[in-house]
Amino acid sequence: MRRSRDWLLSILLSGITLLLCGMLIGAGWRAWRSNTQQPVLVAEQATPSATTTRATEPAATPLPTALPTVVPPTTAPSQTPTAVSTTAPPSDNTPATPVTTTTPTTVVANLPLPELPSGPLPNFAAALSQPFAGALAQHTDDSLYRIGALLNPADHTITGRETVRMTNTTGTTLNEIYFRLWVNAPFYKEGDIAVADVKVDGQPVKTELSMDNTTLKLVLAQPLAPKQSREIAMDFTTTVPTTGGGYGIFNVTEGVWALYNWQPELAVYEHGGWLLDPVTEQGDPTNTDAANYQVRFAAPPSFKLATSGSEVAAQTVGGETIHELASPLTRNMVIVASDRFAKTSTTAGAIKVNSWYLPGHDAAGKAALASAARAVQLYDQRFGHYAYPELDVTEVKLGGGAAGMESTGLVMIGSGFYAPDATDPLTGLGELVPAAKSLSELDFTVAHEVGHQWWYGVVGSDAFKRPWQDESLTNWSSAFYVDETAGAATGAAARDVFIRAPYDEVLADHDERLDQPVDHFNETEYGAIVYGKGPLMYDVLRKQIGDPAFFDFLRRYYVEHAFARVDGDGWHATLAEVSNQQTADAFYQKWVEGDKISASDLPPGGPLESLLNSMGTGGLPTETETPK
Ligand SMILES: [Zn+2]
């Protein structure tokens, strides 16, 4: 009977192995499962699809035989890189001292670039939802990116120019400014960004690369006083991996170009210093301030683009289509492009929701659309208004344990859910527990990524130092979505699969503090604590302070920190507003800072946990050995 319990537990744990956006937990689970003798007969009877779909990846669809061609150049960025030096990786977040000086290899394709946007700004307010149309007035110091870029499918590169109008909002004089070039990390394989011709207010500036070239320091000739602005300009050439960079979020596979972190992004200055954390193989590479983006992006005319923000115009000239994009108050300006995409759309109130997927994947494409529409409408009503007029859901070949990934106004969902022969890994659980019948990992994953539009997108936080702030609340939001759309019993089953099972496994041995940086957790703990303990904390909080105060807390947290960044103190302070200081202090110390949670502190488990417990103590119930 222990073996049967292990089998069910492995099914439960499988729910989280592919769910977690931006984290690597699958390898640990596979190792765990490979060491567990599988009761094959029971598994085949109960969940035939769950045991087979894990074994093989969905069949790859062939690439188009003819790649789009690009016409000869009319303009090209400067090919004269400025002096750039590399540094040894620092042992902490303190910028390292340069130790060598080199000139980077800047591969600038000889192709036409669209002109850098200039002149009047687009109507950014029109790319915000009506309730947020006035938000720009409160964010006049946010950075403005203007980018002209060209996607070159033939050599897997993007060539571009970028200017960033940056105002010093740090409260202190700056002698240097940092950018992040995330995809230079080894984690992104052959992914690469090379920069050249870096200027500040039109003057060449000394630059230094460090931390595997993921950090670019600009040494300012003149200090930048508080509230003063500078215009930073640079050329860049980005190489897109074909072998699955990162979690696949920056990658071209099966004709789908997933472009995350594709351009140089300003680093964040917070708590008296620049955030220059390493790119790790768990957690999200998404530490940014909200900024406004005006992008002129050229691609072959056959390419369809799903993007953060809104497309305000498109023009086909000389064999390429130039897409004019406006993306206000944006954490990450992401593009997913393909000449193979099919698209289906719907509306959720005033919000247009689009689902983009490969040919033949209509069923999952429509299911993802329906999930996204339900989720965005629910969160809009209960947490506060969605910030943009549009939401894109895109099929992307993700990997490394990620099922989905969030960005501003756009979410990526792993292609493993989409193949016509793909069966949801949770199929079969309903035969054990009726309440689990309608559980779907695709549904839960889409609801999770849509939840990030609130927790990450609008309410920003440090994804490296405090991953609990967005991930825990987002995973709770997804469970809440199941409660509200499928009923409380199914919501309880969803918690069992996605939240309770991983946390119970760790808690059987020890508890961990919730508020820790990504790299303080091992793989198992990261999933268990950030995606398990954290969401359960919100269930406990809701029960403790009651629904009116709890949803008041969420709505205040959303509004008070909209398009800003919040830390644990901000969370704590908002909680004190809706309860009282003593309650907030005690709750925060116990759940966020403490590591002494025991099973008796947790709300009752759901039907699958009950079943699991009965197996552990009394053996596998007869009816589950021979499911009907
Ligand atoms: Zn997430």
Side-chain angles (χ1 to χ4, degrees), residues 335-423:
I335 296 172
V336 180
S338 180
D339 59 355
R340 303 183 60 222
F341 265 154
K343 175 187 173 188
T344 181
S345 302
T346 188
T347 54
I351 305 157
K352 185 177 184 191
V353 185
N354 306 307
S355 175
W356 307 77
Y357 53 92
L358 290 175
H361 296 178
D362 303 68
K366 288 174 182 169
L369 179 75
S371 297
R374 284 193 297 266
V376 76
Q377 190 154 32
L378 174 68
Y379 302 155
D380 183 90
Q381 291 167 353
R382 303 300 293 273
F383 304 159
H385 288 297
Y386 179 61
Y388 309 96
E390 200 170 298
L391 173 65
D392 289 308
V393 182
T394 60
E395 175 185 353
V396 169
K397 177 80 172 177
L398 298 177
M405 183 66 188
E406 72 277 15
S407 66
T408 297
L410 180 150
V411 301
M412 298 176 176
I413 303 297
S415 59
F417 292 114
Y418 283 79
D421 59 349
T423 306

Side-chain angles (χ1 to χ4, degrees), residues 21 448 452 471 531:
C21 44
H448 177 105
H452 272 303
E471 292 300 350
Y531 293 77

Side-chain angles (χ1 to χ4, degrees), residues 104-105 135 266 296 312 328 427 489 495 525 528 556 567 571 579 588:
T105 305
L266 268 173
R296 191 168 281 158
V312 295
T427 300
R495 282 170 178 76
E525 289 169 349
R556 282 173 184 251
D567 59 13
W571 190 95
S579 55
Y588 191 80

Side-chain angles (χ1 to χ4, degrees), residues 19-22 284 404 406 448-449 452 470-471 474-475 531:
L19 166 70
L20 312 178
C21 44
D284 292 336
E406 72 277 15
H448 177 105
E449 305 309 337
H452 272 303
D470 68 329
E471 292 300 350
T474 297
N475 223 26
Y531 293 77

